[in-house]
Amino acid sequence: MQDSEKFEGLKRNLVEENERRYGAEARERYGAAAVDESTRKMLNMSEKDFAAWQELSAEIVSALEEAVRSGADPAGPEGARVCDLHRRWLGYTWPSYTAVAHRGLAEAYVADERFTAYYDGTVVGCAAWLRDAIVAHAR
């Protein structure tokens, strides 16, 4: 199997797993068209874009952990930077960006224990800090 075939298989597996775990919920919440477009964007992502998307994800988590540990103000410059990183990260899979949708997702990060567990996995408070940064800076 060639590397390109492995990469395409990886993306398909990620999409299929996401669909199994969250598909019905996502379609109910955001509509089938938005979920289908997000899936299309994921499946059409190049290896370079996929790597950049993963790197942004790691950078966001690292920045969140450091911000919470250092007591940074989410309404301050670091909050603006993390909000922008997160907006860029969403751009890889979201059909279109709106600040309203970004803030809505941010609220889910503290309302849904699955999101909170992910962001607070190493440093408690990251989900709330990210939410506060997005609420303060999403435009």
Side-chain angles (χ1 to χ4, degrees), residues 106-132:
E107 290 298 338
Y109 288 169
V110 294
D112 187 319
E113 64 191 29
R114 296 169 297 181
F115 284 124
T116 304
Y118 172 78
Y119 283 109
D120 286 5
T122 303
V123 177
V124 173
C126 288
W129 197 96
L130 178 57
R131 185 265 327 265
D132 293 348

Side-chain angles (χ1 to χ4, degrees), residues 30 86 89-90 94 100-110 115 134:
Y30 307 112
H86 195 263
W89 179 78
L90 292 172
W94 273 23
V100 170
H102 196 184
R103 287 190 293 270
L105 178 62
E107 290 298 338
Y109 288 169
V110 294
F115 284 124
I134 292 168

Side-chain angles (χ1 to χ4, degrees), residues 39-105:
T39 296
R40 185 195 66 74
K41 284 186 80 169
M42 169 65 87
L43 291 174
N44 288 329
M45 206 180 291
S46 70
E47 288 186 57
K48 180 180 174 187
D49 285 342
F50 188 83
W53 181 61
Q54 289 185 313
E55 288 169 15
L56 266 174
S57 182
E59 185 177 353
I60 291 164
V61 170
S62 177
L64 283 171
E65 291 172 357
E66 178 57 30
V68 170
R69 283 186 182 116
S70 70
D73 181 0
E78 184 61 6
R81 186 179 83 80
V82 172
C83 178
D84 184 60
L85 291 172
H86 195 263
R87 180 195 53 75
R88 288 175 31 216
W89 179 78
L90 292 172
Y92 282 95
T93 58
W94 273 23
S96 62
Y97 175 85
T98 69
V100 170
H102 196 184
R103 287 190 293 270
L105 178 62

